[in-house]
Amino acid sequence: MLLIEVFVPAGALRADERQALGRLLIDTLMSEDDSHAIEIIDAERLITQVLVHEPATWVLGQRPAADPADPPRYLVRVTVPASWRREMCEEVVTMVTDALAETERQAGRDPGRVRREPHAVVLVEGVSEGGIGIHGKAMSTLELTELISRPYRDRTAGQEAPAGAAGKLIDPICGMSVEPDSPITLVHEGTLYGFCHGLCRRAFADEHGLTPAGEHPPTA
């Protein structure tokens, strides 16, 4: 993630509730599980920001007119690189909705309404290639992948390719477990490597001088 924006009606959440919601969204979307190495998660957290907005005016289109603060409506915009958007959408929408439901539960309101009623709208938007600037320069998606994965790659440099649980392969770029029959693989020096995304494969191939001339990172 790069940016998570939450729009709520003015006064619907206290300051501490807004802070807690922002932290919950980061913790939910950057959960420390076996899907990625901890270095990857920490690097993603470093460039992820949450903004909670309270618009001065909020008008609902429904009839008859309803108060958007009773109960609170939510509009969440999650911004990611465009090439990541398609495969992330379903998971991001589910996880954001879970966080909103937990916020409602903690406030003593009905958490089920955010799944039953159209009270929580989640928009997952992609930033076009070259539209992300970090360290004072525009970064390609491949460069962003390099930035995020570098701490993990530095730690595992020179080590043998680890074996994942139940015969799975470990993506050497991000540490994610990958099925051995994954369509995104690469053989290097007799070892089969699996990758969670074409960008991880491209980063590995570039690092080892294996990228065919003219190959470009995948786009959405």
Side-chain angles (χ1 to χ4, degrees):
M1 314 303 156
L2 293 170
L3 176 62
I4 306 167
E5 295 178 275
V6 184
F7 296 84
V8 295
L13 299 179
R14 301 188 310 269
D16 63 308
E17 290 176 323
R18 296 194 298 272
Q19 184 73 23
L21 175 56
R23 182 55 54 191
L24 179 60
L25 284 167
I26 290 179
D27 290 343
T28 300
L29 292 167
M30 309 285 173
S31 57
E32 297 181 9
D33 53 25
D34 295 331
S35 61
H36 288 89
I38 187 64
E39 292 92 345
I40 302 296
I41 296 172
D42 285 345
E44 289 180 339
R45 280 175 170 266
L46 192 62
I47 61 172
T48 297
Q49 302 176 62
V50 178
L51 304 178
V52 180
H53 304 285
E54 291 190 331
T57 303
W58 189 307
V59 180
L60 299 176
Q62 71 184 75
R63 294 185 293 192
D67 182 355
D70 186 25
R73 306 303 202 267
Y74 298 93
L75 173 62
V76 182
R77 182 164 57 202
V78 182
T79 304
V80 300
S83 61
W84 301 357
R85 185 187 64 80
R86 184 179 301 170
E87 65 185 42
M88 292 178 63
C89 278
E90 185 172 351
E91 184 178 16
V92 166
V93 169
T94 297
M95 297 175 79
V96 168
T97 304
D98 287 345
L100 297 178
E102 176 60 18
T103 297
E104 288 298 284
R105 187 194 68 77
Q106 292 180 6
R109 295 185 289 265
D110 175 17
R113 72 178 177 87
V114 296
R115 296 186 181 89
R116 188 176 61 250
E117 304 291 341
H119 290 178
V121 176
V122 183
L123 307 176
V124 183
E125 299 184 349
V127 180
S128 60
E129 188 69 15
I132 299 169
I134 299 177
H135 295 162
K137 69 169 188 173
M139 304 190 78
S140 68
T141 311
L142 186 61
E143 289 173 322
L144 187 61
T145 300
E146 155 70 25
L147 175 69
I148 292 172
S149 65
R150 179 47 56 191
Y152 172 73
R153 294 158 75 181
D154 286 346
R155 179 176 68 80
T156 58
Q159 299 179 12
E160 292 186 6
K168 292 185 178 182
L169 303 173
I170 301 297
D171 188 323
I173 299 300
C174 68
M176 186 174 183
S177 297
V178 181
E179 296 293 340
D181 59 353
S182 166
I184 311 177
T185 59
L186 187 153
V187 177
H188 176 55
E189 296 182 347
T191 299
L192 175 66
Y193 294 90
F195 303 89
C196 70
H197 192 282
L199 281 165
C200 284
R201 183 184 185 277
R202 172 66 187 275
F204 181 86
D206 277 2
E207 188 170 52
H208 294 83
L210 305 175
T211 302
E215 182 176 309
H216 298 286
T219 57

